[in-house]
Coordinates of all heavy atoms in Angstrom, one line a residue:
M508 N -5.6 -15.8 31.3 CA -5.3 -15.7 29.8 C -6.1 -14.5 29.2 O -7.3 -14.4 29.5 CB -5.7 -17.0 29.2 CG -5.3 -17.0 27.7 SD -5.4 -18.8 27.2 CE -5.1 -18.4 25.4
S509 N -5.5 -13.7 28.4 CA -6.2 -12.5 27.8 C -7.0 -12.9 26.6 O -6.6 -13.8 25.8 CB -5.2 -11.5 27.5 OG -5.7 -10.4 26.9
D510 N -8.1 -12.2 26.3 CA -8.9 -12.4 25.1 C -8.3 -11.5 24.0 O -8.8 -11.6 22.9 CB -10.3 -12.1 25.4 CG -11.0 -13.1 26.2 OD1 -10.5 -14.2 26.2 OD2 -12.0 -12.8 26.9
Y511 N -7.4 -10.6 24.3 CA -6.8 -9.7 23.4 C -6.0 -10.3 22.3 O -5.1 -11.1 22.7 CB -6.0 -8.6 24.0 CG -5.4 -7.6 23.1 CD1 -6.2 -6.6 22.6 CD2 -4.1 -7.6 22.8 CE1 -5.6 -5.7 21.6 CE2 -3.6 -6.8 21.9 CZ -4.4 -5.8 21.3 OH -3.7 -4.9 20.4
T512 N -6.3 -10.1 21.1 CA -5.3 -10.6 20.0 C -4.8 -9.4 19.3 O -5.4 -8.4 19.1 CB -6.1 -11.5 19.0 OG1 -7.2 -10.8 18.5 CG2 -6.7 -12.8 19.7
T513 N -3.7 -9.5 18.8 CA -2.9 -8.5 18.1 C -3.6 -8.4 16.6 O -3.7 -9.4 16.0 CB -1.4 -8.8 17.9 OG1 -0.9 -9.0 19.2 CG2 -0.7 -7.7 17.1
P514 N -4.0 -7.2 16.3 CA -4.6 -7.0 15.0 C -3.6 -7.3 13.9 O -2.4 -7.1 14.0 CB -5.1 -5.6 14.9 CG -4.3 -4.9 16.0 CD -3.9 -5.9 17.0
P515 N -4.1 -7.8 12.7 CA -3.1 -8.2 11.7 C -2.6 -6.8 11.2 O -3.2 -5.8 11.1 CB -4.0 -8.8 10.6 CG -5.4 -8.3 10.9 CD -5.5 -8.2 12.3
T516 N -1.2 -6.9 10.8 CA -0.6 -5.7 10.3 C 0.0 -6.0 9.0 O 0.6 -7.0 8.8 CB 0.5 -5.3 11.3 OG1 0.0 -5.1 12.6 CG2 1.2 -4.0 10.9
L517 N -0.2 -5.0 8.1 CA 0.4 -5.0 6.8 C 1.6 -4.0 6.8 O 1.3 -2.8 6.9 CB -0.6 -4.7 5.7 CG -0.1 -4.8 4.2 CD1 0.2 -6.1 3.9 CD2 -1.2 -4.2 3.4
N518 N 2.8 -4.5 6.8 CA 3.9 -3.6 6.8 C 4.6 -3.5 5.4 O 4.5 -4.5 4.6 CB 5.0 -4.2 7.7 CG 4.6 -4.2 9.2 OD1 4.1 -3.3 9.7 ND2 4.7 -5.4 9.8
G519 N 5.1 -2.4 5.1 CA 5.7 -2.2 3.8 C 6.7 -1.2 3.7 O 7.0 -0.5 4.6
R520 N 7.3 -1.1 2.4 CA 8.3 0.0 2.2 C 8.1 0.5 0.7 O 7.9 -0.4 -0.2 CB 9.7 -0.6 2.4 CG 10.7 0.5 2.2 CD 12.1 0.0 2.6 NE 13.1 1.0 2.6 CZ 14.4 0.9 2.6 NH1 14.9 -0.3 2.7 NH2 15.2 2.0 2.7
L521 N 8.1 1.8 0.6 CA 8.1 2.5 -0.7 C 9.5 2.6 -1.1 O 10.4 3.1 -0.5 CB 7.4 3.8 -0.5 CG 7.2 4.6 -1.8 CD1 6.4 3.9 -2.8 CD2 6.6 6.0 -1.4
V522 N 9.8 2.1 -2.3 CA 11.2 2.0 -2.9 C 11.2 2.5 -4.2 O 10.5 2.2 -5.1 CB 11.7 0.6 -2.9 CG1 13.1 0.5 -3.4 CG2 11.7 0.0 -1.4
G523 N 12.2 3.4 -4.6 CA 12.4 3.9 -5.9 C 13.3 2.9 -6.6 O 14.3 2.4 -6.1
V524 N 13.0 2.5 -7.9 CA 13.7 1.5 -8.6 C 15.2 1.9 -8.7 O 16.1 1.1 -8.6 CB 13.0 1.3 -10.0 CG1 13.8 0.3 -10.8 CG2 11.6 0.7 -9.8
T525 N 15.5 3.2 -9.0 CA 16.8 3.6 -9.1 C 17.3 4.3 -7.9 O 18.5 4.6 -7.8 CB 17.0 4.7 -10.3 OG1 16.3 5.9 -9.9 CG2 16.4 4.1 -11.6
G526 N 16.5 4.4 -6.9 CA 16.9 5.1 -5.6 C 16.9 6.6 -5.7 O 17.3 7.2 -4.7
K527 N 16.4 7.1 -6.8 CA 16.3 8.6 -6.9 C 15.1 9.2 -6.5 O 15.0 10.4 -6.2 CB 16.6 9.0 -8.4 CG 18.0 8.6 -8.9 CD 18.1 8.9 -10.3 CE 19.5 8.5 -10.8 NZ 19.7 8.7 -12.2
A528 N 14.0 8.4 -6.4 CA 12.6 9.0 -6.1 C 12.6 9.3 -4.5 O 13.1 8.5 -3.8 CB 11.6 8.1 -6.4
P529 N 12.0 10.4 -4.2 CA 11.8 10.6 -2.7 C 10.8 9.7 -2.2 O 9.7 9.5 -2.7 CB 11.3 12.1 -2.7 CG 10.6 12.3 -4.0 CD 11.3 11.4 -5.0
T530 N 11.2 9.1 -1.1 CA 10.2 8.1 -0.5 C 9.9 8.4 1.0 O 9.1 7.7 1.6 CB 10.8 6.7 -0.5 OG1 12.1 6.6 0.2 CG2 11.0 6.2 -1.9
A531 N 10.5 9.5 1.5 CA 10.2 9.9 2.9 C 8.9 10.8 2.9 O 8.7 11.6 2.0 CB 11.4 10.6 3.5
E532 N 8.1 10.6 3.9 CA 6.9 11.5 4.1 C 6.0 11.5 2.8 O 5.5 12.5 2.5 CB 7.3 12.9 4.5 CG 8.1 12.9 5.8 CD 8.4 14.2 6.3 OE1 7.9 15.3 5.8 OE2 9.3 14.4 7.3
V533 N 5.8 10.4 2.3 CA 4.9 10.2 1.2 C 3.6 9.5 1.7 O 3.6 8.6 2.5 CB 5.4 9.3 0.1 CG1 4.5 9.0 -1.1 CG2 6.7 9.9 -0.5
V534 N 2.4 10.0 1.2 CA 1.2 9.4 1.6 C 1.0 8.0 0.9 O 1.0 8.0 -0.4 CB 0.0 10.3 1.3 CG1 -1.4 9.6 1.6 CG2 0.1 11.6 2.1
V535 N 0.7 7.0 1.6 CA 0.4 5.7 1.1 C -0.9 5.4 1.5 O -1.4 5.6 2.6 CB 1.4 4.6 1.7 CG1 1.1 3.2 1.2 CG2 2.9 5.0 1.3
W536 N -1.7 4.8 0.6 CA -3.1 4.5 0.8 C -3.4 3.1 0.6 O -2.8 2.3 -0.2 CB -4.0 5.4 0.0 CG -3.8 5.4 -1.5 CD1 -3.0 6.3 -2.1 CD2 -4.2 4.5 -2.4 NE1 -2.9 6.0 -3.5 CE2 -3.7 4.9 -3.7 CE3 -5.0 3.4 -2.5 CZ2 -4.0 4.2 -4.9 CZ3 -5.2 2.7 -3.6 CH2 -4.7 3.1 -4.8
L537 N -4.4 2.6 1.3 CA -5.0 1.2 1.2 C -6.5 1.3 1.0 O -7.2 1.8 1.9 CB -4.7 0.3 2.4 CG -5.3 -1.1 2.4 CD1 -4.7 -1.9 1.4 CD2 -5.0 -1.7 3.8
A538 N -7.0 1.1 -0.2 CA -8.4 1.2 -0.5 C -9.0 -0.2 -0.4 O -8.5 -1.1 -1.1 CB -8.7 1.8 -1.9
V539 N -10.0 -0.4 0.3 CA -10.7 -1.8 0.4 C -12.2 -1.6 0.2 O -12.8 -0.7 0.4 CB -10.3 -2.3 1.8 CG1 -8.9 -2.5 2.0 CG2 -11.0 -1.5 3.0
Q540 N -12.7 -2.8 -0.2 CA -14.2 -3.0 -0.3 C -14.5 -4.3 0.3 O -14.0 -5.3 -0.1 CB -14.7 -2.9 -1.8 CG -16.2 -3.1 -1.9 CD -16.6 -3.1 -3.4 OE1 -15.9 -3.5 -4.3 NE2 -17.8 -2.6 -3.5
T541 N -15.4 -4.3 1.3 CA -15.8 -5.6 1.9 C -16.8 -6.3 1.0 O -17.3 -5.8 0.0 CB -16.5 -5.2 3.3 OG1 -17.8 -4.6 3.0 CG2 -15.7 -4.4 4.2
T542 N -17.0 -7.5 1.4 CA -17.9 -8.4 0.6 C -19.3 -7.9 0.7 O -20.2 -8.2 -0.1 CB -17.9 -9.9 1.0 OG1 -18.1 -9.9 2.4 CG2 -16.5 -10.5 0.7
D543 N -19.6 -7.0 1.7 CA -21.0 -6.4 1.8 C -21.0 -5.1 1.0 O -22.1 -4.5 1.0 CB -21.2 -6.0 3.3 CG -21.3 -7.2 4.2 OD1 -21.6 -8.3 3.8 OD2 -21.0 -7.0 5.4
G544 N -20.0 -4.8 0.3 CA -20.0 -3.6 -0.6 C -19.6 -2.3 0.0 O -19.5 -1.2 -0.6
E545 N -19.2 -2.3 1.4 CA -18.7 -1.1 2.0 C -17.3 -0.7 1.6 O -16.4 -1.7 1.6 CB -18.7 -1.4 3.6 CG -19.7 -0.4 4.3 CD -19.6 -0.7 5.8 OE1 -18.7 -0.2 6.4 OE2 -20.4 -1.5 6.3
A546 N -17.0 0.5 1.2 CA -15.7 0.9 0.8 C -15.1 1.9 1.8 O -15.8 2.7 2.3 CB -15.8 1.5 -0.7
S547 N -13.8 1.8 1.9 CA -13.1 2.7 2.8 C -11.7 2.8 2.3 O -11.1 1.9 1.6 CB -13.1 2.3 4.3 OG -12.5 1.1 4.4
T548 N -11.0 4.0 2.7 CA -9.6 4.1 2.3 C -8.8 4.5 3.6 O -9.2 5.5 4.3 CB -9.4 5.2 1.2 OG1 -10.2 4.8 0.1 CG2 -8.0 5.4 0.9
L549 N -7.8 3.8 3.9 CA -6.9 4.2 4.9 C -5.7 4.9 4.4 O -5.2 4.6 3.3 CB -6.4 2.9 5.6 CG -7.5 1.9 6.2 CD1 -6.9 0.6 6.6 CD2 -8.3 2.6 7.3
E550 N -5.1 5.8 5.1 CA -3.9 6.5 4.7 C -2.9 6.6 5.8 O -3.3 6.6 7.0 CB -4.3 8.0 4.3 CG -5.1 8.1 3.0 CD -5.3 9.5 2.6 OE1 -5.0 10.5 3.4 OE2 -5.8 9.7 1.5
T551 N -1.6 6.5 5.5 CA -0.5 6.7 6.4 C 0.6 7.5 5.6 O 0.5 7.6 4.4 CB -0.1 5.4 6.9 OG1 0.9 5.6 8.0 CG2 0.6 4.5 5.9
I552 N 1.5 7.9 6.3 CA 2.7 8.6 5.8 C 4.0 7.7 6.0 O 4.1 7.3 7.2 CB 2.9 10.0 6.4 CG1 1.6 10.8 6.0 CG2 4.1 10.6 5.9 CD1 1.6 12.2 6.6
T553 N 4.8 7.6 5.0 CA 6.1 6.8 5.2 C 7.0 7.6 6.1 O 6.9 8.8 6.2 CB 6.8 6.7 3.8 OG1 7.0 7.9 3.2 CG2 5.9 5.8 2.8
D554 N 7.9 6.8 6.7 CA 8.9 7.4 7.6 C 10.1 7.9 6.8 O 10.0 7.8 5.5 CB 9.3 6.4 8.7 CG 10.1 5.2 8.2 OD1 10.5 5.2 7.0 OD2 10.3 4.3 8.9
D555 N 11.1 8.2 7.3 CA 12.3 8.8 6.6 C 13.0 7.8 5.6 O 13.7 8.2 4.7 CB 13.4 9.3 7.6 CG 13.0 10.5 8.3 OD1 11.9 11.2 7.9 OD2 13.5 10.9 9.4
E556 N 12.7 6.5 5.8 CA 13.3 5.5 5.0 C 12.3 4.8 4.1 O 12.6 3.8 3.4 CB 14.0 4.4 5.8 CG 15.2 5.0 6.6 CD 15.9 4.0 7.5 OE1 15.6 2.7 7.3 OE2 16.7 4.4 8.3
G557 N 11.1 5.4 4.1 CA 10.0 4.8 3.2 C 9.1 3.7 3.8 O 8.3 3.1 3.1
F558 N 9.3 3.4 5.0 CA 8.5 2.3 5.7 C 7.1 2.9 6.0 O 7.0 4.0 6.4 CB 9.2 1.8 6.9 CG 10.5 0.9 6.6 CD1 11.7 1.6 6.6 CD2 10.3 -0.3 6.2 CE1 12.9 0.8 6.3 CE2 11.5 -1.1 5.9 CZ 12.8 -0.5 5.9
F559 N 6.1 2.0 5.9 CA 4.8 2.3 6.3 C 4.1 1.0 6.9 O 4.6 -0.1 6.8 CB 4.0 2.8 5.2 CG 3.9 1.9 4.0 CD1 2.8 0.9 4.0 CD2 4.8 1.8 3.0 CE1 2.7 0.0 2.9 CE2 4.7 0.9 1.9 CZ 3.6 0.0 1.9
S560 N 3.0 1.3 7.6 CA 2.3 0.2 8.2 C 0.7 0.4 8.2 O 0.3 1.6 8.4 CB 2.8 0.0 9.6 OG 2.2 -1.1 10.3
F561 N 0.0 -0.5 8.1 CA -1.5 -0.5 8.1 C -2.0 -1.7 9.0 O -1.5 -2.7 9.0 CB -2.2 -0.7 6.8 CG -2.0 0.5 5.8 CD1 -1.1 0.5 4.8 CD2 -2.8 1.7 6.0 CE1 -1.0 1.5 3.9 CE2 -2.7 2.7 5.2 CZ -1.8 2.7 4.1
E562 N -3.2 -1.3 9.7 CA -3.9 -2.4 10.2 C -5.2 -2.5 9.4 O -6.2 -1.8 9.6 CB -4.3 -2.0 11.7 CG -3.1 -2.1 12.7 CD -3.5 -1.8 14.1 OE1 -4.7 -1.7 14.4 OE2 -2.5 -1.6 14.9
P563 N -5.2 -3.5 8.4 CA -6.4 -3.6 7.6 C -7.6 -4.1 8.3 O -7.5 -4.8 9.3 CB -5.9 -4.5 6.4 CG -4.8 -5.3 7.1 CD -4.2 -4.5 8.1
P564 N -8.8 -3.9 7.7 CA -10.0 -4.5 8.2 C -9.8 -6.1 8.3 O -9.1 -6.7 7.6 CB -11.1 -4.2 7.2 CG -10.5 -3.1 6.4 CD -9.0 -3.2 6.4
T565 N -10.4 -6.7 9.3 CA -10.3 -8.1 9.6 C -11.4 -8.9 8.8 O -11.3 -10.1 8.7 CB -10.4 -8.4 11.0 OG1 -11.5 -7.9 11.7 CG2 -9.2 -7.9 11.8
E566 N -12.4 -8.2 8.3 CA -13.5 -8.9 7.5 C -13.1 -9.3 6.2 O -12.1 -8.8 5.6 CB -14.8 -8.1 7.5 CG -14.7 -6.8 6.9 CD -14.5 -5.6 7.8 OE1 -14.0 -5.9 8.9 OE2 -14.9 -4.5 7.4
P567 N -13.8 -10.3 5.5 CA -13.5 -10.6 4.1 C -13.6 -9.4 3.2 O -14.5 -8.6 3.3 CB -14.5 -11.7 3.9 CG -15.0 -12.2 5.2 CD -14.8 -11.1 6.1
L568 N -12.7 -9.3 2.2 CA -12.7 -8.2 1.3 C -12.9 -8.7 -0.1 O -12.3 -9.7 -0.6 CB -11.4 -7.4 1.4 CG -11.0 -6.9 2.8 CD1 -9.6 -6.3 2.7 CD2 -12.1 -5.8 3.2
R569 N -13.7 -7.9 -0.9 CA -13.9 -8.2 -2.3 C -12.8 -7.6 -3.1 O -12.3 -8.1 -4.1 CB -15.2 -7.6 -2.7 CG -15.5 -7.7 -4.2 CD -16.9 -7.4 -4.6 NE -17.8 -8.4 -4.0 CZ -18.9 -8.1 -3.3 NH1 -19.3 -6.9 -3.1 NH2 -19.7 -9.1 -2.8
A570 N -12.3 -6.4 -2.7 CA -11.2 -5.7 -3.4 C -10.3 -5.0 -2.4 O -10.8 -4.5 -1.3 CB -11.8 -4.7 -4.3
A571 N -9.0 -4.9 -2.7 CA -8.0 -4.2 -1.9 C -6.9 -3.7 -2.9 O -6.3 -4.5 -3.5 CB -7.5 -5.1 -0.7
K572 N -6.6 -2.4 -2.8 CA -5.5 -1.9 -3.6 C -4.6 -1.0 -2.7 O -5.1 -0.3 -1.8 CB -6.0 -1.1 -4.8 CG -6.7 -1.9 -5.9 CD -6.9 -1.2 -7.1 CE -7.4 -2.1 -8.1 NZ -7.4 -1.6 -9.5
L573 N -3.4 -1.1 -3.0 CA -2.4 -0.3 -2.2 C -1.7 0.6 -3.2 O -1.3 0.2 -4.3 CB -1.4 -1.2 -1.6 CG -0.2 -0.6 -0.8 CD1 -0.8 -0.1 0.5 CD2 0.8 -1.8 -0.5
G574 N -1.5 1.9 -2.9 CA -0.9 2.8 -3.7 C -0.3 3.9 -2.9 O -0.3 4.0 -1.7
A575 N 0.3 4.9 -3.6 CA 0.9 6.1 -3.0 C 0.6 7.3 -3.8 O 0.4 7.3 -5.0 CB 2.4 5.9 -2.9
V576 N 0.6 8.5 -3.2 CA 0.4 9.7 -3.8 C 1.8 10.2 -4.2 O 2.4 11.1 -3.6 CB -0.3 10.7 -2.9 CG1 -0.5 12.1 -3.6 CG2 -1.5 10.1 -2.3
L577 N 2.3 9.6 -5.3 CA 3.7 9.9 -5.9 C 3.7 9.5 -7.3 O 3.3 8.3 -7.6 CB 4.7 9.2 -5.1 CG 6.2 9.4 -5.4 CD1 6.5 11.0 -5.1 CD2 7.0 8.5 -4.6
E578 N 4.1 10.3 -8.2 CA 4.2 10.0 -9.6 C 5.1 8.8 -9.8 O 6.2 8.7 -9.2 CB 4.8 11.2 -10.4 CG 4.9 10.9 -11.8 CD 5.3 12.1 -12.7 OE1 5.6 13.2 -12.1 OE2 5.5 11.9 -13.9
G579 N 4.7 7.8 -10.6 CA 5.5 6.7 -10.9 C 5.1 5.4 -10.1 O 5.6 4.4 -10.2
V580 N 4.1 5.6 -9.2 CA 3.6 4.5 -8.4 C 2.3 4.0 -9.0 O 1.4 4.7 -9.1 CB 3.4 4.8 -6.9 CG1 2.8 3.6 -6.2 CG2 4.7 5.3 -6.3
Q581 N 2.3 2.8 -9.5 CA 1.1 2.1 -10.0 C 0.4 1.4 -8.8 O 1.1 0.6 -8.1 CB 1.4 1.1 -11.1 CG 1.9 1.8 -12.3 CD 1.0 2.7 -13.0 OE1 -0.3 2.4 -13.1 NE2 1.4 3.8 -13.4
P582 N -0.9 1.5 -8.6 CA -1.6 0.8 -7.5 C -1.4 -0.6 -7.7 O -1.4 -1.2 -8.8 CB -3.1 1.3 -7.7 CG -3.0 2.6 -8.5 CD -1.8 2.5 -9.4
L583 N -1.3 -1.3 -6.5 CA -1.0 -2.7 -6.5 C -2.3 -3.4 -6.0 O -2.9 -3.1 -5.0 CB 0.1 -3.0 -5.6 CG 0.5 -4.5 -5.3 CD1 1.0 -5.2 -6.7 CD2 1.6 -4.6 -4.3
D584 N -2.9 -4.3 -6.9 CA -4.1 -5.1 -6.5 C -3.6 -6.2 -5.6 O -2.9 -7.1 -6.0 CB -4.7 -5.6 -7.7 CG -6.1 -6.3 -7.5 OD1 -6.4 -6.5 -6.3 OD2 -6.8 -6.5 -8.4
L585 N -4.2 -6.3 -4.3 CA -3.8 -7.3 -3.4 C -4.6 -8.6 -3.5 O -4.3 -9.6 -2.8 CB -3.9 -6.7 -2.0 CG -3.0 -5.5 -1.7 CD1 -3.2 -5.0 -0.3 CD2 -1.5 -5.8 -2.0
E586 N -5.6 -8.6 -4.4 CA -6.5 -9.7 -4.8 C -6.8 -10.5 -3.5 O -6.5 -11.7 -3.3 CB -5.7 -10.6 -5.7 CG -5.4 -9.9 -7.0 CD -4.6 -10.7 -8.0 OE1 -4.4 -12.0 -7.8 OE2 -4.1 -10.2 -9.0
P587 N -7.8 -10.0 -2.7 CA -8.1 -10.7 -1.5 C -9.1 -11.9 -1.7 O -9.2 -12.7 -0.8 CB -8.8 -9.6 -0.6 CG -9.3 -8.6 -1.6 CD -8.3 -8.6 -2.8
N588 N -9.8 -11.9 -2.9 CA -10.6 -13.0 -3.2 C -11.6 -13.4 -2.1 O -11.8 -14.6 -1.7 CB -9.8 -14.3 -3.5 CG -8.9 -14.0 -4.7 OD1 -9.3 -13.4 -5.7 ND2 -7.7 -14.5 -4.7
D589 N -12.3 -12.4 -1.6 CA -13.3 -12.5 -0.6 C -12.8 -13.1 0.7 O -13.6 -13.8 1.5 CB -14.5 -13.3 -1.1 CG -15.3 -12.7 -2.2 OD1 -15.1 -11.4 -2.3 OD2 -15.9 -13.3 -3.0
E590 N -11.5 -12.9 1.0 CA -11.0 -13.4 2.2 C -10.3 -12.1 3.0 O -10.1 -11.1 2.3 CB -9.7 -14.4 1.9 CG -10.2 -15.6 1.3 CD -11.0 -16.6 2.3 OE1 -10.7 -16.5 3.5 OE2 -11.8 -17.3 1.8
P591 N -10.1 -12.2 4.3 CA -9.4 -11.1 5.0 C -8.0 -11.0 4.4 O -7.4 -12.0 4.0 CB -9.5 -11.4 6.4 CG -10.5 -12.6 6.5 CD -10.5 -13.2 5.3
L592 N -7.5 -9.8 4.5 CA -6.0 -9.7 4.2 C -5.1 -10.3 5.3 O -5.5 -10.2 6.5 CB -5.6 -8.2 4.0 CG -6.1 -7.5 2.8 CD1 -5.7 -6.0 2.9 CD2 -5.7 -8.1 1.5
E593 N -4.2 -11.0 4.9 CA -3.3 -11.6 5.9 C -2.1 -10.7 6.2 O -1.7 -9.9 5.4 CB -2.7 -13.0 5.3 CG -3.7 -13.9 5.0 CD -3.1 -15.3 4.5 OE1 -1.9 -15.5 4.7 OE2 -3.9 -16.1 4.0
P594 N -1.7 -10.8 7.5 CA -0.6 -9.9 7.8 C 0.6 -10.3 7.0 O 0.8 -11.4 6.6 CB -0.3 -10.3 9.3 CG -1.2 -11.4 9.7 CD -2.1 -11.7 8.5
G595 N 1.5 -9.4 6.8 CA 2.7 -9.6 6.0 C 3.4 -8.3 5.7 O 3.2 -7.3 6.2
E596 N 4.5 -8.6 4.8 CA 5.3 -7.4 4.3 C 5.1 -7.3 2.8 O 5.1 -8.3 2.2 CB 6.7 -7.6 4.8 CG 6.8 -7.7 6.3 CD 8.3 -7.7 6.8 OE1 9.1 -7.7 6.0 OE2 8.4 -7.9 8.0
I597 N 5.2 -6.1 2.4 CA 5.0 -5.8 0.9 C 5.9 -4.6 0.5 O 6.2 -3.7 1.4 CB 3.5 -5.4 0.6 CG1 3.3 -5.4 -0.8 CG2 3.1 -4.2 1.3 CD1 1.8 -5.6 -1.1
M598 N 6.4 -4.6 -0.7 CA 7.2 -3.5 -1.2 C 6.4 -2.9 -2.3 O 5.8 -3.5 -3.2 CB 8.5 -4.0 -1.7 CG 9.4 -4.5 -0.6 SD 11.1 -4.8 -1.1 CE 11.7 -3.1 -1.0
L599 N 6.4 -1.6 -2.3 CA 5.7 -0.7 -3.3 C 6.7 0.0 -4.0 O 7.5 0.7 -3.4 CB 4.7 0.2 -2.6 CG 3.7 0.9 -3.5 CD1 2.8 0.0 -4.3 CD2 2.8 1.7 -2.5
F600 N 6.8 -0.2 -5.4 CA 7.9 0.4 -6.1 C 7.5 1.7 -6.9 O 6.4 1.8 -7.3 CB 8.4 -0.6 -7.2 CG 9.2 -1.7 -6.5 CD1 8.5 -2.9 -6.2 CD2 10.5 -1.6 -6.2 CE1 9.2 -4.0 -5.7 CE2 11.2 -2.7 -5.6 CZ 10.5 -3.8 -5.3
V601 N 8.5 2.6 -7.0 CA 8.2 3.9 -7.7 C 9.1 3.7 -9.0 O 10.3 3.4 -8.9 CB 8.8 5.1 -6.9 CG1 8.6 6.3 -7.8 CG2 8.2 5.2 -5.6
D602 N 8.4 3.9 -10.1 CA 9.1 3.9 -11.4 C 9.8 5.2 -11.6 O 9.2 6.2 -12.1 CB 8.2 3.6 -12.6 CG 8.8 3.6 -13.9 OD1 10.1 3.8 -14.0 OD2 8.2 3.5 -15.0
D603 N 11.1 5.2 -11.3 CA 11.8 6.5 -11.4 C 12.9 6.4 -12.4 O 13.8 7.2 -12.4 CB 12.4 7.0 -10.0 CG 13.2 5.9 -9.4 OD1 13.4 4.8 -9.9 OD2 13.7 6.2 -8.3
F604 N 12.8 5.5 -13.4 CA 13.7 5.4 -14.5 C 13.7 6.6 -15.4 O 14.7 7.1 -15.9 CB 13.5 4.1 -15.4 CG 14.1 2.9 -14.8 CD1 13.2 1.9 -14.4 CD2 15.4 2.7 -14.6 CE1 13.8 0.7 -13.9 CE2 15.9 1.6 -14.1 CZ 15.1 0.6 -13.7
T605 N 12.5 7.1 -15.9 CA 12.4 8.1 -16.8 C 11.8 9.4 -16.2 O 10.7 9.3 -15.6 CB 11.5 7.6 -17.9 OG1 11.9 6.3 -18.4 CG2 11.4 8.6 -19.1
P606 N 12.4 10.5 -16.4 CA 11.8 11.7 -15.9 C 10.4 11.9 -16.4 O 10.2 11.6 -17.6 CB 12.8 12.8 -16.3 CG 14.0 12.1 -16.7 CD 13.6 10.7 -17.1
S607 N 9.6 12.5 -15.6 CA 8.2 12.6 -16.1 C 8.0 13.4 -17.4 O 7.1 13.2 -18.2 CB 7.3 13.3 -14.9 OG 7.8 14.5 -14.6
H608 N 8.9 14.5 -17.5 CA 8.7 15.3 -18.8 C 9.0 14.6 -20.1 O 8.7 15.0 -21.1 CB 9.4 16.6 -18.6 CG 11.0 16.4 -18.6 ND1 11.7 15.9 -17.6 CD2 11.9 16.6 -19.6 CE1 13.0 15.9 -17.9 NE2 13.1 16.2 -19.1
L609 N 9.7 13.4 -19.9 CA 10.0 12.6 -21.1 C 9.1 11.4 -21.3 O 9.1 10.8 -22.4 CB 11.5 12.0 -21.0 CG 12.6 13.1 -20.9 CD1 13.9 12.4 -20.8 CD2 12.6 13.9 -22.2
K610 N 8.2 11.0 -20.4 CA 7.4 9.8 -20.4 C 6.4 9.9 -21.5 O 6.1 8.9 -22.1 CB 6.7 9.5 -19.1 CG 7.6 9.0 -18.1 CD 6.8 8.7 -16.8 CE 7.8 8.1 -15.7 NZ 7.1 7.8 -14.5
Y611 N 5.8 11.0 -21.7 CA 4.7 11.2 -22.7 C 5.0 12.0 -23.9 O 4.2 12.5 -24.6 CB 3.5 11.8 -21.9 CG 3.1 11.0 -20.7 CD1 3.4 11.5 -19.5 CD2 2.4 9.8 -20.9 CE1 3.1 10.8 -18.3 CE2 2.1 9.1 -19.7 CZ 2.5 9.5 -18.5 OH 2.1 8.8 -17.4
A612 N 6.3 12.1 -24.2 CA 6.8 12.9 -25.4 C 6.3 12.0 -26.6 O 6.5 10.8 -26.7 CB 8.3 13.1 -25.4
G613 N 5.8 12.7 -27.6 CA 5.3 12.0 -28.7 C 5.9 12.2 -30.0 O 6.5 12.8 -30.7

């Protein structure tokens, strides 16, 4: 019997609300802070359909946020509550309803 265990994986997809936002080859990031106060950021790039995957730290986390380097994406607080992140699937949405040049018109 092997002592090897598969690391937990957080799989996701970047999706445009209207389907107009580009979601291929976008940098997606996962920023974490352990309960010891150590902070780090993991980055990956979405595939042609907007899918991404992370192997998050296995230790308990004080904070964890997921975001993307793309206008219209608000960082998502994963609220780890001093627990390790559990493996699973998540969708990260791009607000592409309103063109950026109209969002802040006053």
